[in-house]
Structures are given as C-alpha cells and as structure tokens.
Amino acid sequence: MHIERAGLEDVRGLARVKWIDRGTDGPNLAEFESFATALASWWEVHRGTHSAFVARTIDEEIVGAAWVALLPRVPSPGANNRLSADIQSVFVLPEHRNDGVGTALVEAATAHAHSAGASRVIVHSSERAVPVYLRLGFTESSKLLQRIFDA
C-alpha cells in the first residue's frame, strides 16, 4: 500500500471510492459515468484549491482517498497571506480499514496543507473517525461553530 497525490488520471478511481462511500452499491453504469464526468469537471475548476491523495494497492487499485482544500483567509495586519485548510471526504474501502490507511491519507493531506503555508487544518469528522483525528493531533474547539440549513 502506498499513498500519493492524485492526478486527473485518477478521477475514475476517486469517483469509485466516493460512490462506495455514499453507500451506492451496484451503480447503474450510466449514473456512475455521469458522476465521474461531473467530478472530473468539478476538479478541473478547483485544482488550484483542492488536492486529492489516494491509497493504492500493489496492483495500483485505489482503495482510499482524502481531499484537502486550501482556503485563503482575509488578511490581517502583519499577515497578508493567511491560509487555512479543510480535510474533506476521507474514505477507505471497508476491506482495507484498520491497517493505518486512513491515518496515512490524513497525514499526507495535512503535510500538504502545512507545506502550502496553512496555519491550521480543520475537519468535519464522522463520529467513528474522531479518535483517529485526535490521535493525529487534532483537538476539539469550542470556537468552531456551524449552522446547518435545511435541504
């Protein structure tokens, strides 16, 4: 298993992982193709802010992914180039869990954010993954709030 930054050639594998993450078993091929095309188009527009990292098996199958969004922040006096990062859509196929794959993906995404100059990395986690993020040095914050709108 190895972790690497994904390229546009990995869109179908990224789409497959995302599709499985959403619990869409046995996708209609046309629906999957439509989603893969939409993901490719979206990423083409957002490549300047969003990077994907993938976990590959020895035979190059993508079995996990993590995205990181680099978000410019409003300048402050003395800090004109502020940047935050948001870890998004981390998912590992069930048969590859509990082997450190998710941890390695989050570490790769976090290292990328840090090297880009982000002063902080945030994540909106599932309850199940909270212990992983805490183990990786993320902390809970009473200052980070959210407001959810009805669909």
Side-chain angles (χ1 to χ4, degrees), residues 61-85:
E61 177 189 5
I62 294 174
V63 298
W67 291 80
V68 61
L70 298 175
L71 309 167
R73 301 187 67 213
V74 175
S76 289
N80 292 332
N81 296 309
R82 298 183 335 141
L83 189 66
S84 289

Side-chain angles (χ1 to χ4, degrees), residues 130 134 138-143:
V130 167
L134 292 174
F138 286 76
T139 58
E140 296 182 36
S141 170
S142 61
K143 295 188 277 182

Side-chain angles (χ1 to χ4, degrees), residues 93-117:
L93 297 180
E95 60 271 22
H96 294 278
R97 291 181 185 157
N98 301 315
D99 290 328
V101 176
T103 294
L105 285 164
V106 171
E107 286 177 334
T110 302
H112 173 74
H114 184 259
S115 69

Side-chain angles (χ1 to χ4, degrees), residues 7 11 16 40 48-49 60 69-72 88 96 117 123 129:
V11 166
R16 178 179 162 269
T49 56
E60 298 297 312
L70 298 175
L71 309 167
Q88 302 176 351
H96 294 278
V123 65

Side-chain angles (χ1 to χ4, degrees), residues 9-82:
E9 69 278 3
D10 295 314
V11 166
R12 289 184 61 74
L14 288 162
R16 178 179 162 269
V17 168
K18 187 75 173 163
W19 192 273
I20 293 168
D21 175 28
R22 290 294 171 231
T24 312
D25 292 328
N28 171 299
L29 186 56
E31 290 174 357
F32 176 78
E33 291 297 336
S34 177
F35 172 65
T37 299
L39 180 60
S41 295
W42 177 88
W43 197 14
E44 189 66 44
V45 171
H46 295 90
R47 283 185 58 82
T49 56
H50 290 69
S51 297
F53 292 84
V54 293
R56 295 185 193 276
T57 61
I58 298 297
D59 62 355
E60 298 297 312
E61 177 189 5
I62 294 174
V63 298
W67 291 80
V68 61
L70 298 175
L71 309 167
R73 301 187 67 213
V74 175
S76 289
N80 292 332
N81 296 309
R82 298 183 335 141

